[in-house]
């Protein structure tokens, strides 16, 4: 079978690396989340920490993977209806999400971060009375909404994190709240804007996991085995240092 001609799903019991019609796993990712996942402006390829982690796991497990850029809104639906085999998207493992999907072992620790122009907003409490930009349906959205209440009018929910950060730049919102890695990356790349960051000590630790369709233990076991292997042989550390080392 010529490359690219493999049928969509492997023959029964035949999705091993040796198989002629090797299954290609379709990996959904909202690639607007540098440095975890973004589209390289030159090559148009999806790149980033998450992408390198999944490629490394796939190599260990003899899996063929294809990344498909998938808007955050609808990313879980695409997993559920089988359009994607698994997701990598800086996805925080939460009890709520565990009801509708299964998660791999954690592969990254994160927390929420507040970013503002003047640095006056440092805690959840300081958010009161402010206009706040978040990415719709993320843990940042949940934390802010839980604290200020569903009826609080000042929460602006954007389809992507870059849109929330742009709103901060334009003055459409006073602050933005998002995952620390992404906020730090943005602040670093927009030095001229002189942005200030803060973490409320009350923000919980969050852990990223790969998401598979509920009950897909075969794939989950493979991914967990890969995560274990890249941790043990130093591959994970290399990738981590490439993106987060100084
Ligand atoms: N960690 C946060 C969450 O799981 C934000 C993830 C957003 N990821 C993305 N690629 N846009 O809710």
């Amino acid at each position: 079978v010529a490359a690219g001609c493999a049928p969509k799903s492997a023959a029964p019991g035949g999705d091993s690396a040796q198989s002629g019609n090797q299954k290609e796993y379709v990996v959904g990712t909202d690639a607007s989340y540098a440095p975890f996942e973004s589209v390289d402006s030159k090559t148009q390829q999806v790149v980033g920490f998450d992408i390198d982690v999944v490629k490394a796991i796939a190599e260990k497990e003899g899996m063929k993977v294809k990344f498909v850029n998938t808007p955050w809104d609808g990313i879980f639906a695409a997993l559920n209806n089988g359009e994607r085999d698994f997701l990598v998207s800086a996805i925080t493992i939460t009890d709520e999400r565990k009801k509708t999907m299964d998660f791999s072992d954690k592969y990254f620790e994160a927390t929420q971060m507040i970013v503002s122009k003047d640095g006056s907003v440092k805690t959840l409490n300081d958010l009161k009375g402010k206009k706040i930009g978040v990415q719709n349906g993320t843990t940042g959205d949940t934390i802010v909404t839980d604290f200020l209440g569903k009826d609080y009018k000042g929460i602006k929910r954007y389809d992507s994190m870059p849109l929330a950060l742009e709103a901060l730049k334009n003055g459409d919102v006073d602050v933005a709240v998002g995952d620390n890695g992404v906020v730090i990356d943005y602040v670093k790349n927009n030095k001229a804007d002189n942005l200030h960051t803060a973490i409320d000590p009350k923000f919980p630790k969050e852990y990223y996991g790969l998401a598979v369709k509920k009950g897909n233990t075969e794939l989950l076991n493979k991914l967990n085995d890969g995560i274990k292997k890249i941790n043990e042989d130093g591959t994970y550390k290399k990738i981590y240092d490439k993106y987060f080392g100084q």
Side-chain angles (χ1 to χ4, degrees):
V1 180
C5 294
K8 239 189 133 195
S9 58
D15 66 340
S16 72
Q18 291 77 26
S19 172
N21 52 358
Q22 191 189 347
K23 177 177 168 63
E24 183 173 63
Y25 290 87
V26 180
V27 188
T29 184
D30 166 20
S32 63
Y33 219 62
F36 297 97
E37 45 265 335
S38 61
V39 178
D40 184 292
S41 55
K42 284 196 202 87
T43 64
Q44 297 308 310
Q45 297 292 310
V46 177
V47 295
F49 173 82
D50 279 354
I51 306 306
D52 285 1
V53 166
V54 166
K55 281 182 178 167
I57 293 168
E59 201 187 307
K60 296 287 178 215
E61 298 300 312
M63 295 163 71
K64 202 169 151 197
V65 289
K66 175 176 116 187
F67 296 93
V68 178
N69 200 353
T70 308
W72 181 255
D73 171 40
I75 201 167
F76 298 125
L79 179 69
N80 240 310
N81 68 23
E83 281 171 22
R84 309 285 180 261
D85 291 301
F86 68 97
L87 307 174
V88 66
S89 214
I91 302 170
T92 302
I93 302 167
T94 68
D95 288 341
E96 191 57 31
R97 288 173 181 163
K98 276 192 201 159
K99 291 179 192 163
T100 53
M101 66 197 88
D102 288 338
F103 282 100
S104 72
D105 295 336
K106 61 186 178 196
Y107 67 89
F108 193 82
E109 185 187 306
T111 191
Q112 293 304 303
M113 192 173 250
I114 299 170
V115 52
S116 65
K117 280 184 176 165
D118 62 4
S120 64
V121 182
K122 292 194 175 63
T123 63
L124 271 173
N125 221 38
D126 298 338
L127 293 175
K128 286 179 183 160
K130 302 281 181 196
K131 272 198 216 150
I132 306 138
V134 294
Q135 184 181 10
N136 188 31
T138 58
T139 45
D141 181 1
T142 305
I143 288 172
V144 171
T145 305
D146 284 351
F147 182 77
L148 294 169
K150 262 198 339 298
D151 299 327
Y152 185 83
K153 291 282 177 295
I155 306 172
K156 307 275 174 244
R157 299 181 176 86
Y158 298 90
D159 286 340
S160 74
M161 200 56 204
L163 288 175
L165 292 163
E166 204 173 293
L168 173 67
K169 194 168 188 154
N170 298 340
D172 293 339
V173 295
D174 305 311
V175 292
V177 178
D179 291 15
N180 56 338
V182 173
V183 169
I184 289 167
D185 189 76
Y186 181 80
V187 170
K188 208 168 66 194
N189 292 317
N190 293 272
K191 282 229 170 74
D193 296 342
N194 235 305
L195 297 167
H196 294 73
T197 60
I199 295 172
D200 186 316
K202 284 209 284 286
F203 288 156
K205 280 183 181 159
E206 300 185 23
Y207 297 97
Y208 296 168
L210 309 173
V212 307
K213 192 171 179 172
K214 203 153 191 53
N216 192 354
T217 39
E218 190 182 332
L219 177 54
L220 200 61
N221 290 341
K222 263 195 220 276
L223 297 174
N224 282 336
D225 188 64
I227 290 172
K228 192 162 164 255
K229 284 186 176 140
I230 65 168
N231 272 298
E232 280 169 3
D233 79 350
T235 306
Y236 178 87
K237 173 145 194 340
K238 269 201 203 108
I239 300 170
Y240 185 93
D241 287 346
K242 172 175 163 193
Y243 289 91
F244 304 107
Q246 55 284 38

